[in-house]
């Protein structure tokens, strides 16, 4: 088999592939192939922990070999790797190969791929510097054909190639080696990983940053209140000119799995999340870490999340607030003041209800800040294009009113939901004319709040630390943990299992791969498990261990204990003399004289019947 593959590779060299694509000014240059190559292989914006460039190889972007000629595509893909001069002067590069992805299901069409000889030929097309400067190759979501291909390269082409490969099953496993929050990961990889693992846990990154946090509006470095990153990015994408004119902008339901992936990504602090809808592309790509700034290039050629995911994420953020905008404590006031469905709303009462400086309002200051800094300006801006998107203030209030209240009784929520819907509709209608200037949030201020903060520490929300339970000391001096409710709105925390502490990421430069420690072995079950202590059977007494036969019959050691032995009684009733013998010596002690020997050899007297019969 090895010789056949080698001969196939040698034959393919006769018609070798080209590693250099045609110049862009040439008529042979193909812009569609260049765009396809950019989706297959691209450089992640931030370097690795060792300050090496990281390249992402997206297996889901591989085209069908029956549609695209791989010999023509290969030069465009290889051109995206570092050139010869950069590799000779640098330290190398790393590659993360996401082998999974693509459509799965009964209706999915399998893509054709080139033969094994083509892969061998493509490997030899690489320059020597490209092959030698590859420091690490991380293979995620590995498939069978990828495993066969790797074994072929490791055995036939280069045995040293095996030492550079790290196999991981999921993104959680990859996070033990490299910080995945610094990678530009396409959505197809997240969807593939979700089929293998229910969630993604990254050490030192996973937690709560955006959803269900105690402080929904974080504080900036200068002490002012700012919008969280998820609201800033999703809102900026929704308010793009192309997206504002989409019909039913907040009525299109997104894929639930995509919303779950995005929620987890923002809570993890994923630095690069690309939003794309047609030619509208948005990515806050300016980050500063270590060596300097990093920019995402060719965003129009990168996979991204679409408009329904952005609108669904906004509604999810409001629905996941620990304390809703209108809590149950204000239901009575809402019904008393705004309960009459036929009476028009007084604008002064609405202003006093939502104004952050109001002393009369019965909702919290945080709720009023969220309404005036984000929700009402956003809905009013969308309502300006109601002729194109069909989102009137009434339709917008129907979409968002259920997310603003969450009480223990669903019947009360439905009853108060009608009041909140009419109240929100009136606030959106009068926002531009009466409420925006009074609340100090007109269009210039709102657009300024959506820009990326100038301070680097404000570009990402802080990770919310889990507070440890309070420790109390009893009167007896024992230290115990006091089980008290720190927050009445922390019910959501009880439903989620805390993640175990993860080991530190190993050094990728070491030859040995990281092996996580095994969990402790569970205790074997016994018959007393599940039985009350009062009904349990007492343990059996311990039986002393008897001496072995070889020990008893062996030679006596020095200083061993001697046990007394007894001779049987004679028929005359007189007992024989007692002798001390060693239990370890099977031979009797030798006699010291003839008299003692005679006494020892004296025969026993016969019974009377035996004597009488012998005399006759």
């Amino acid at each position: 088999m090895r010789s056949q593959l080698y001969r196939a590779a040698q034959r393919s060299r006769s018609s070798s592939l080209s590693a250099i694509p045609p110049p862009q000014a040439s008529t042979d240059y193909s812009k569609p192939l260049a765009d396809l190559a950019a989706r297959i292989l691209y450089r992640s914006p931030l370097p690795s922990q060792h300050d090496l460039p990281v390249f992402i190889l997206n297996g889901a972007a591989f085209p069908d070999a029956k549609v695209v000629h791989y010999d023509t595509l290969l030069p465009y893909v290889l051109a995206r790797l570092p050139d010869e001069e950069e590799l000779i002067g640098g330290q190398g590069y790393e590659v993360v190969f996401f082998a999974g992805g693509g459509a799965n299901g009964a209706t999915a069409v399998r893509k054709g791929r080139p033969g094994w000889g083509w892969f061998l030929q493509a490997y030899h097309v690489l320059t020597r510097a490209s092959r030698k400067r590859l420091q690490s190759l991380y293979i995620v979501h590995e498939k069978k054909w990828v495993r066969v291909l790797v074994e072929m390269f490791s055995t036939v082409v280069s045995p040293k190639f095996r030492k550079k490969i790290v196999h991981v099953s999921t993104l959680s496993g990859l996070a033990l080696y490299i910080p995945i929050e610094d990678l530009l990961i396409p959505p197809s990889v997240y969807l593939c990983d979700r089929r293998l693992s229910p969630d993604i846990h990254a050490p030192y990154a996973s937690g709560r940053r955006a959803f269900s946090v105690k402080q929904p509006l974080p504080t900036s470095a200068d002490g002012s209140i700012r919008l969280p990153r998820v609201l800033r990015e999703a809102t900026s994408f929704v308010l793009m000119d192309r997206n504002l004119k989409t019909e039913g902008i907040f009525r299109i339901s997104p894929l639930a799995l995509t919303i779950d992936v995005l929620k987890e990504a923002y809570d993890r602090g994923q630095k690069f999340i690309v939003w794309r809808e047609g030619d509208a592309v948005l990515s806050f790509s300016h980050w500063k870490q270590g060596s300097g700034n990093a920019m995402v290039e060719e965003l129009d050629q990168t996979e991204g999340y679409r408009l329904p995911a952005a609108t669904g994420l906004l509604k999810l953020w409001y629905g996941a607030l620990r304390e809703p905008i209108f809590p149950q404590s204000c239901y009575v006031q809402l019904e008393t003041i705004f309960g009459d469905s036929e009476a028009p709303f007084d604008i002064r009462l609405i202003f006093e209800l939502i104004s952050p400086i109001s002393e009369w309002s019965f909702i919290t200051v945080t709720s009023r800040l969220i309404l005036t800094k984000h929700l009402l300006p956003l809905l009013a801006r969308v309502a300006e294009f109601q002729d194109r998107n069909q989102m009137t203030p009434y339709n917008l209030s129907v979409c968002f009113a259920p997310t603003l209240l969450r009480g223990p009784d669903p019947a009360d929520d439905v009853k108060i939901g009608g009041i909140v819907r009419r109240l929100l509709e009136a606030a959106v209608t009068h926002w531009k004319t009466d409420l925006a200037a009074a609340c100090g949030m007109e269009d210039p201020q709102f657009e300024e709040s959506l820009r990326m903060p100038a301070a680097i520490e404000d570009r990402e929300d802080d990770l919310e630390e889990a507070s440890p339970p309070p420790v109390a000391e009893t009167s007896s001096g024992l230290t115990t943990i006091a089980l008290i409710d720190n927050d009445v709105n922390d019910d959501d925390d009880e439903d989620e299992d805390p993640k175990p502490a993860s080991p530190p990421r190993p050094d990728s430069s070491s030859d040995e791969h990281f092996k996580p420690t095994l969990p402790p072995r569970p205790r074997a079950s016994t018959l007393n498990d599940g039985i009350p202590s009062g009904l349990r059977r007492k343990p059996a007494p311990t039986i002393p261990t008897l001496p072995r036969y070889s020990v008893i019959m062996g030679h006596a050691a020095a200083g061993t204990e001697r046990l007394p032995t007894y001779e049987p009684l004679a028929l005359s009733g007189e007992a024989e003399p007692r002798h001390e013998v060693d239990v370890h010596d099977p031979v009797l002690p030798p006699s010291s004289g003839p008299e003692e020997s005679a006494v020892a050899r004296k025969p026993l007297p016969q019974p009377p019947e035996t004597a009488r019969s012998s005399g006759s």
Side-chain angles (χ1 to χ4, degrees), residues 531-553:
I531 303 177
S533 59
L535 302 179
R536 292 181 180 177
R537 182 179 297 178
K538 295 182 179 180
T542 57
I543 301 176
T545 305
L546 298 178
R548 296 177 58 87
Y549 178 79
S550 60
V551 176
I552 297 177
M553 302 304 296

Side-chain angles (χ1 to χ4, degrees), residues 510-529:
S510 61
D511 293 336
E512 298 182 358
H513 299 327
F514 174 73
K515 297 181 179 179
T517 58
L518 296 176
R521 180 176 297 177
R523 181 180 64 88
S525 60
T526 61
L527 295 177
N528 287 333
D529 291 347

Side-chain angles (χ1 to χ4, degrees), residues 84 162 234 248 574:
E84 194 81 10
R162 189 189 302 270
E574 297 180 358

Side-chain angles (χ1 to χ4, degrees), residues 115-136:
W116 303 113
W118 184 89
F119 289 103
L120 291 174
Q121 184 182 6
Y123 179 80
H124 287 290
V125 167
L126 290 173
T127 62
R128 177 180 175 84
S130 300
R131 297 195 298 263
K132 298 300 182 181
R133 289 293 184 178
L134 176 63
Q135 302 298 322
S136 300

